[in-house]
Amino acid sequence: MRPIAHYAGGKNILTLAPDFIVISPQTRPLFILRQLFYSDCLSKSQIQTDKITPVLSNLLP
C-alpha cells in the first residue's frame, strides 16, 4: 500500500500505515488535529481533489 497516490482528475489519496493507526492514542504522535476529536479519522483514507493533503503541503519546499 502506497502512502499517497495521485489519480486522474487531480485526486490525491493519503493512507496511513496500519502500524501507525494501531498505536494507542495516548502514545501515538499527533499527525492532524482532527485525530483528537474523531477516533476513526486515521483509519479512513484522506481524499483531496486538485490539491495535496494540507499536512503534506507543509513539507514541500
Side-chain angles (χ1 to χ4, degrees), residues 28-40:
R28 179 175 48 221
L30 185 63
F31 186 65
I32 54 174
L33 287 176
R34 188 181 310 174
Q35 81 187 57
L36 298 176
F37 304 105
Y38 304 102
S39 59
D40 65 340

Side-chain angles (χ1 to χ4, degrees), residues 7-54:
Y7 294 95
K11 185 179 286 188
N12 296 299
I13 300 176
L14 171 70
T15 54
L16 298 173
D19 296 340
F20 181 77
I21 296 170
V22 298
I23 298 172
S24 81
Q26 291 78 21
T27 59
R28 179 175 48 221
L30 185 63
F31 186 65
I32 54 174
L33 287 176
R34 188 181 310 174
Q35 81 187 57
L36 298 176
F37 304 105
Y38 304 102
S39 59
D40 65 340
C41 78
L42 295 180
S43 60
K44 297 179 182 177
S45 295
Q46 305 294 314
I47 301 172
Q48 301 287 326
T49 304
D50 294 329
K51 61 180 179 178
I52 197 161
T53 306

